[in-house]
Amino acid sequence: MLLIGIAGGTGSGKTTVVNQIVEALNPNRVTLISQDDYYKENSNLSYEERCKVNFDHPSAIDFDLLIEHVKKLKKGKSIQKPLYSFKDHNRSAETVLTKPEKVIIVEGILVFTNRELRNIMDIKLFVYADSDERLIRRLRRDIKERGRDLDEVISRYQETIKPMHEQFIEPSKSYADIIIPHDDYNSVAINIVKTVIQEALNNEIK
């Protein structure tokens, strides 16, 4: 079983890269785990208090549960994966039965900041995009998909996203095996990644 970690700043294009890799490998052979579903449960906080949580700091992630679930999947066991509601800023009461496949992808902005999680990854990919491009993508996503207003998104970017990126996410790039530039010319990098993954899978089979 091959465990692939994919990190990168908010709006860097991780989802696009993940989709390209999954499509190349065949979706039926891939288990996808998103760090976003492992934000800590905050029902003890009011909605107003939850809105102020720094979700770009590693302390916001339930790494204990994430690592436990990843290890279970690597052992061939199914898990009940949590779901996170960005509308409520809290973990949902629902879970999703998730079964292990030959390839497990764990993606998220902070997945390389945890040493234990890093150490069980077979391949680590970092998706890079410049800060202006990431901000534009974040604005579009949060306003269109998550119902945020412009002032809220810009305020959060200035107060938490940008400083947390500089403190935690950008430095975690040094742990990557491959850095992928996310632009119109990343097809070469994606093809290299596909080849590396396929070779690793073939070696596993042998």
Side-chain angles (χ1 to χ4, degrees):
M1 198 170 289
L2 194 67
L3 178 59
I4 303 170
I6 301 180
T10 182
S12 61
K14 293 185 302 301
T15 301
T16 300
V17 171
V18 168
N19 290 339
Q20 287 176 311
I21 293 173
V22 170
E23 185 177 330
L25 294 176
N26 182 341
N28 295 326
R29 299 180 67 193
V30 179
T31 298
L32 180 59
I33 300 294
S34 172
Q35 164 213 283
D36 288 355
D37 285 321
Y38 287 82
Y39 281 118
K40 290 179 178 176
E41 202 271 340
N42 289 313
S43 295
N44 59 312
L45 302 178
S46 68
Y47 177 78
E48 290 73 20
E49 290 173 322
R50 294 198 300 269
C51 289
K52 297 177 182 178
V53 171
N54 184 353
F55 292 100
D56 292 87
H57 191 284
S59 63
I61 308 298
D62 189 346
F63 277 112
D64 289 340
L65 181 62
L66 175 55
I67 292 167
E68 176 190 333
H69 279 182
V70 169
K71 287 182 175 179
K72 282 184 177 179
L73 289 169
K74 288 201 75 172
K75 291 179 180 178
K77 299 178 180 179
S78 297
I79 61 169
Q80 289 291 340
K81 184 175 68 67
L83 289 175
Y84 190 82
S85 169
F86 288 96
K87 179 181 179 181
D88 298 325
H89 291 293
N90 202 8
R91 188 180 293 177
S92 169
E94 300 177 10
T95 59
V96 176
L97 177 64
T98 303
K99 299 179 180 180
E101 298 296 342
K102 189 65 178 175
V103 176
I104 302 169
I105 295 178
V106 180
E107 66 86 18
I109 61 174
L110 295 164
V111 295
F112 291 171
T113 64
N114 184 280
R115 179 185 297 179
E116 185 176 0
L117 184 57
R118 282 198 315 266
N119 288 342
I120 58 177
M121 292 175 177
D122 300 299
I123 301 173
K124 295 182 287 294
L125 312 176
F126 189 95
V127 184
Y128 174 82
D130 67 54
S131 57
D132 290 342
E133 188 65 29
R134 289 190 294 102
L135 174 57
I136 292 170
R137 290 175 183 156
R138 177 72 183 231
L139 285 168
R140 286 174 176 166
R141 184 192 68 186
D142 282 6
I143 293 172
K144 183 181 294 185
E145 298 177 15
R146 298 180 179 175
R148 309 282 194 261
D149 63 52
L150 180 62
D151 289 340
E152 179 186 358
V153 179
I154 292 177
S155 176
R156 184 176 286 272
Y157 183 85
Q158 292 174 325
E159 294 174 7
T160 60
I161 296 172
K162 186 176 186 291
M164 293 302 98
H165 179 86
E166 293 173 349
Q167 183 176 353
F168 296 108
I169 301 164
E170 185 70 19
S172 76
K173 181 172 65 176
S174 64
Y175 299 112
D177 301 305
I178 300 173
I179 297 174
I180 301 173
H182 185 72
D183 53 34
D184 293 335
Y185 306 99
N186 73 348
S187 58
V188 173
I190 292 294
N191 287 334
I192 291 172
V193 169
K194 293 175 184 176
T195 300
V196 169
I197 293 171
Q198 196 57 58
E199 288 182 355
L201 283 172
N202 292 338
N203 289 335
E204 286 287 326
I205 293 172
K206 292 177 183 178

